[in-house]
Amino acid sequence: MESPTSATAIAIAFATIFVTCFFLSRRKKEAPKVIGGLGTQLHRILTTMPSLQELPTTPWGMPGMVQLAVFTVQILLEEIFFEATYDTEREQVEVTIPGDSTDGCTDRVNCVWIKGRKHRPKRELSEDAPIVILLPGLNCYAASLPGTSMYKALLKKPWRIAVFEKRGVGTPNAPGLNAPAFHLFGHPSDLHQVVTIICGRYPKAPIHLVGLSSGNGLAGSYTALYGSQVPALRSSLLLIGGEDYNLAFAPPTGDWRTKLVFDQVLLETTKNRFLRRSEKVLRAHSEVGYAACLAAQTLQELYNLSTTYFSGYSDRAEAERRLNAFSGSNEVLLKSPVPFLVVYTEDDPVAPGGPRQEWVGVMKRCEKAALALFPSGSHLGCYDSPLLSRWVEKLAVDWVEASTSPVA
């Protein structure tokens, strides 16, 4: 039997816990900083997304570089088990580059359909089911993306899931380029040819673009350059970051972490993926250009050189106009044809602190475009529990659901 003193102590302890929980529940919850979205449509979307109403909790207070290290291991493991985890259908599409200073550089890209998880019942989808087109990161493809756990979250919904693989990427044993043309972020015109095919196949289905990492550049440029031509396009979501290509790999806010990620880790991988795998085709087009790209000391230098020599355009100005809708500024978002959200994290080693203030200033004036800034999440790690679940996946689901709603 408890003594009176012990009983009193227990009662006081429970009362303290109750009072603390009561006041914590009444305390105003902090939310991510959201800027822009002044129009009625986007404002409604943003305010109905649960993932934008309260900040996620970072497990153990993991710093950005730690989250990135953990996420890198996760990417590698998920790539290894990808084929054993998902049922997929790989569709090859022939594409041609439009323009005055190109011969078309006809080649192929892949559209990989994520049909479902293996050993699960077959998914039955209506002809008007929303289609989510995912745009992978710099050197990524369907099996790496980065972070294929995103598929599990999206497959829980009655949506078709497709992954666009740009020129130069694909499975490790994939053949190299047929034509001497690639772009590190991808050609918007190639994506448009794939989207056109999808629209013809599913004429009643709304389409949502979701970019990840460097795939954000393609999502943004496509929306600005082609979005108004695609009635089925309902929204564009960029996870995590976004910048003018001419600064993307050397951001003004960059520090030693940025250089480590870009110039020590990704530079050689990018040369292997885009250059060495297609050496014969690229050398035949420009021996000087190939040597210069191979000798590049930074990822930004490689981007500049490869766009000059191997974008498919002999006129660098035309290449800039047709590939980089954010050249110089993000003011194209003042006229975004569809709801557009770009998400940043303050502890992202790729762009520490989030977007440039000049970009923030433009976003403040946008009706159909907005940015959301989270204090933690690194570069797509975005962990929100000790089980390493990721808030960025919840945000993607929230966004597509809110953007698909009849009143969106």
Side-chain angles (χ1 to χ4, degrees):
M1 182 175 180
E2 296 286 346
S3 68
T5 302
S6 298
T8 301
I10 292 173
I12 292 173
F14 273 106
T16 302
I17 292 172
F18 175 80
V19 171
T20 301
C21 290
F22 175 77
F23 282 106
L24 285 175
S25 67
R26 294 178 62 86
R27 187 179 63 181
K28 185 178 181 180
K29 297 176 181 178
E30 290 187 71
K33 184 182 297 182
V34 178
I35 296 170
L38 304 181
T40 303
Q41 180 187 26
L42 183 51
H43 178 74
R44 191 207 63 78
I45 292 172
L46 297 173
T47 54
T48 56
M49 291 174 60
S51 50
L52 289 181
Q53 310 314 311
E54 183 178 359
L55 285 174
T57 301
T58 304
W60 309 295
M62 281 195 292
M65 285 299 285
V66 174
Q67 288 196 58
L68 184 59
V70 173
F71 187 50
T72 300
V73 174
Q74 177 181 338
I75 294 169
L76 295 174
L77 291 174
E78 288 178 344
E79 184 174 4
I80 292 171
F81 294 105
F82 174 74
E83 294 295 339
T85 305
Y86 299 101
D87 283 318
T88 63
E89 180 182 326
R90 183 173 292 271
E91 180 178 359
Q92 200 168 87
V93 178
E94 187 175 278
V95 290
T96 302
I97 296 172
D100 300 321
S101 65
T102 179
D103 63 3
C105 298
T106 300
D107 211 325
R108 66 192 179 281
V109 296
N110 293 311
C111 179
V112 182
W113 294 92
I114 311 298
K115 310 288 282 187
R117 297 179 66 179
K118 288 191 173 178
H119 314 300
R120 300 286 179 92
K122 183 179 179 181
R123 301 167 75 236
E124 299 293 340
L125 300 172
S126 64
E127 61 180 10
D128 62 348
I131 300 171
V132 179
I133 302 178
L134 297 164
L135 309 178
L138 179 63
N139 297 313
C140 294
Y141 63 115
S144 53
L145 197 58
T148 59
S149 59
M150 175 73 73
Y151 302 150
K152 294 178 182 178
L154 296 174
L155 286 170
K156 292 177 181 178
K157 300 296 178 178
W159 306 334
R160 289 185 172 87
I161 314 300
V163 182
F164 172 80
E165 295 180 345
K166 59 183 180 278
R167 299 175 186 232
V169 302
T171 59
N173 59 352
L177 297 164
N178 289 327
F182 68 88
H183 188 257
L184 295 188
F185 292 89
H187 288 76
S189 58
D190 287 353
L191 175 59
H192 187 55
Q193 289 165 78
V194 171
V195 169
T196 300
I197 290 173
I198 292 174
C199 287
R201 186 176 301 163
Y202 302 106
K204 298 181 180 180
I207 292 176
H208 303 270
L209 294 182
V210 178
L212 297 99
S213 189
S214 293
N216 292 338
L218 182 57
S221 286
Y222 180 82
T223 302
L225 296 172
Y226 290 96
S228 61
Q229 302 176 32
V230 185
L233 184 63
R234 293 291 189 272
S235 75
S236 291
L237 174 65
L238 282 60
L239 308 167
I240 296 280
E243 180 57 277
D244 175 358
Y245 294 160
N246 298 302
L247 297 172
F249 299 127
T253 59
D255 56 22
W256 67 269
R257 297 170 297 171
T258 314
K259 295 181 184 297
L260 175 65
V261 172
F262 285 149
D263 303 333
Q264 299 301 318
V265 177
L266 291 177
L267 179 60
E268 280 305 309
T269 306
T270 305
K271 288 179 180 179
N272 288 335
R273 183 61 57 91
F274 288 96
L275 297 174
R276 296 186 178 101
R277 185 153 68 175
S278 302
E279 178 178 357
K280 185 177 180 180
V281 170
L282 297 176
R283 276 187 182 276
H285 176 72
S286 176
E287 183 76 39
V288 172
Y290 185 84
C293 287
L294 213 56
Q297 297 299 301
T298 67
L299 195 54
Q300 188 64 53
E301 182 185 6
L302 176 58
Y303 169 78
N304 295 338
L305 289 166
S306 64
T307 303
T308 297
Y309 288 104
F310 300 118
S311 66
Y313 296 99
S314 58
D315 182 352
R316 185 64 169 79
E318 183 178 14
E320 189 75 5
R321 187 173 67 253
R322 290 184 178 273
L323 298 172
N324 185 11
F326 295 87
S327 182
S329 79
N330 60 336
E331 291 197 354
V332 291
L333 292 179
L334 292 169
K335 297 180 179 180
S336 178
V338 297
F340 184 105
L341 177 65
V342 54
V343 181
Y344 295 87
T345 61
E346 293 180 356
D347 65 348
D348 183 359
V350 166
R356 288 184 283 146
Q357 287 307 304
E358 303 96 304
W359 282 46
V360 173
V362 171
M363 297 300 282
K364 288 180 178 179
R365 297 151 47 203
C366 290
E367 291 195 1
K368 285 193 173 183
L371 71 83
L373 180 61
F374 288 73
S376 177
S378 188
H379 196 67
L380 282 168
C382 301
Y383 296 116
D384 62 3
S385 82
L387 297 178
L388 301 184
S389 59
R390 301 166 61 218
W391 57 259
V392 75
E393 297 166 5
K394 302 177 181 71
L395 190 149
V397 170
D398 287 351
W399 171 263
V400 174
E401 283 190 321
S403 302
T404 304
S405 170
V407 295

